[in-house]
Amino acid sequence: MDPSVDVRVRGQVSDEELNVLHTLAFGHGPTTVPWNDRLTRHSLTWVTARLDSRLCGFVNIIGDGGAHAVLLDACVAPDLQGRGIGRVVVRAAAQEAKRLGCQWLHADYEPGLVSFYEDACGMRSTAAGLLQLLEVS
Ligand SMILES: CC(C)(COP(=O)(O)OP(=O)(O)OC[C@H]1O[C@@H](n2cnc3c(N)ncnc32)[C@H](O)[C@@H]1OP(=O)(O)O)[C@@H](O)C(=O)NCCC(=O)NCCS
């Protein structure tokens, strides 16, 4: 990874920066998610990556207050993908969850991301379940 990428645990980030990054990385429409409110109220930790002060990478981790943590919203700006930023932010988040006392870090991902999560980030495959509770239009 480019050594000038600044990776921070609980890095400061504005709601707008995160909405823009998430929109670009996941390819959905514009959003107005109150990220800071969510992060401060519900996250165990999160990791930001910046290049020349621009937010280019992010991952969120929520916890159960005990052994389990769940990794969400890993994203890297499309023009900077494939340069090792995703691997570094996920590994930094995992290290921080471990430091905070978590024993297990869970993630679910599409088949196309197996290489990223398992080869690059060190996760192993396991059976898991997902139940859709609400339809959001
Ligand atoms: C998934 C994502 C976070 C990876 O970030 P990244 O910075 O591009 O990944 P890295 O450069 O650290 O990749 C590390 C390795 O993972 C693999 N990898 C990365 N992205 C991949 C992808 N989209 N599909 C398959 N493999 C991928 C590569 O093989 C790479 O290996 P290499 O170092 O041998 O080239 C980024 O592509 C992204 O934001 N995607 C869109 C949002 C998304 O789907 N997030 C995941 C939600 S579960």
Side-chain angles (χ1 to χ4, degrees):
M1 188 187 68
D2 182 338
S4 55
V5 175
D6 182 24
V7 176
R8 295 195 186 198
V9 172
R10 286 183 167 257
Q12 279 200 350
V13 62
S14 73
D15 291 350
E16 189 184 357
E17 284 178 304
L18 253 180
N19 278 303
V20 168
L21 175 63
H22 205 281
T23 294
L24 292 173
F26 286 92
H28 52 64
T31 54
T32 54
V33 173
W35 278 104
N36 275 281
D37 183 53
R38 287 195 188 174
L39 293 174
T40 50
R41 280 152 50 104
H42 301 291
S43 289
L44 179 67
T45 192
W46 63 90
V47 173
T48 58
R50 289 182 183 275
L51 182 59
D52 299 331
S53 81
R54 168 194 165 203
L55 183 73
C56 61
F58 174 76
V59 68
N60 187 18
I61 291 190
I62 57 174
D64 72 344
H68 297 275
V70 180
L71 189 141
L72 297 166
D73 295 307
C75 54
V76 170
D79 59 312
L80 293 171
Q81 289 176 5
R83 301 186 188 194
I85 296 171
R87 176 200 320 251
V88 169
V89 294
V90 168
R91 285 192 176 267
Q95 196 174 10
E96 180 63 4
K98 180 180 176 183
R99 191 187 72 77
L100 294 170
C102 297
Q103 186 182 4
W104 298 103
L105 180 60
H106 305 249
D108 68 273
Y109 37 85
E110 303 279 328
L113 287 170
V114 165
S115 158
F116 174 68
Y117 280 106
E118 297 182 15
D119 300 335
C121 300
M123 301 196 111
R124 69 172 159 81
S125 174
T126 180
L130 185 65
L131 178 62
Q132 183 167 11
L133 302 175
L134 283 176
E135 293 260 1
V136 180
S137 54

